[in-house]
Amino acid sequence: MRFIKGIAAAALIAAIVPNSASAATYFDYTTNVGGDFGNPDPTTKSSPFTDTYDFVTSFARSATVEILSNMSTPTAFKENVNFIFNGVKLDATVIPATETGQFERRYLANFRLPAGAHQILVRGSAGVDGQYTGTLSLAGVPEPTTWALMILGMGAIGGAMRRRAAKTTVAFA
């Protein structure tokens, strides 16, 4: 009975704790700035491979993600990385393909992220020379109070300029 409880507890822990082995190996992330990620040899995993990259933001950010597949030695079309359709995601949002073929590109710009934990998921198949690299860029998103202060400041500048406008007359000779 204890043995079965032990197996059930281990299964529960495995289900709760995310598998981030690839994230630790291939993700160079700086909190609230972004970083580089990728897999230089996805063929070490069974096909189709699944890589996850976990990261945390302290406050709301605007994210831009670019993922490029390439080959160490361009030879044959079948030896590159092919991403699975709808298999490349930032949280639950699919990162759309902007280029397909021998070299694939996935790109998502200015995606609003709330503060907290996030994940990039990359699924695909890879040939012998296939690899991919990615870049995550995070930019600050102004809060509503910041927007209000900027608008108020612009209004004050506009009012001051209007008040100071000198009356000019144009004379033609």
Side-chain angles (χ1 to χ4, degrees):
M1 187 68 170
R2 285 185 192 176
F3 178 73
I4 294 173
K5 286 182 181 180
I7 290 175
L12 180 63
I13 290 171
I16 293 173
V17 176
N19 181 7
S20 60
S22 63
T25 306
Y26 304 113
F27 200 21
D28 179 21
Y29 172 70
T30 303
T31 303
N32 295 318
V33 175
D36 299 322
F37 59 95
N39 193 335
D41 189 11
T43 59
T44 58
K45 298 180 181 179
S46 61
S47 190
F49 67 86
T50 300
D51 292 335
T52 58
Y53 304 96
D54 301 312
F55 62 97
V56 177
T57 59
S58 302
F59 43 90
R61 309 295 281 170
S62 176
T64 299
V65 180
E66 181 178 38
I67 302 173
L68 303 166
S69 74
N70 51 46
M71 295 182 281
S72 57
T73 311
T75 52
F77 179 72
K78 64 183 180 202
E79 296 180 359
N80 68 341
V81 171
N82 294 305
F83 299 118
I84 293 175
F85 180 73
N86 293 341
V88 182
K89 299 179 180 181
L90 173 57
D91 292 339
T93 302
V94 173
I95 301 174
T98 55
E99 294 176 29
T100 58
Q102 189 171 13
F103 300 100
E104 292 190 34
R105 178 178 184 248
R106 300 289 177 122
Y107 187 74
L108 180 66
N110 299 322
F111 183 75
R112 172 99 180 195
L113 289 176
H118 303 282
Q119 183 179 73
I120 296 172
L121 173 73
V122 180
R123 295 189 69 217
S125 60
V128 179
D129 291 330
Q131 56 185 318
Y132 69 88
T133 58
T135 302
L136 169 67
S137 302
L138 298 172
V141 176
E143 295 187 15
T145 55
T146 305
W147 282 107
L149 283 173
M150 286 191 309
I151 292 169
L152 184 64
M154 291 295 188
I157 290 170
M161 288 176 66
R162 184 172 182 178
R163 209 171 316 130
R164 295 179 103 199
K167 304 238 183 210
T168 58
T169 58
V170 177
F172 294 102

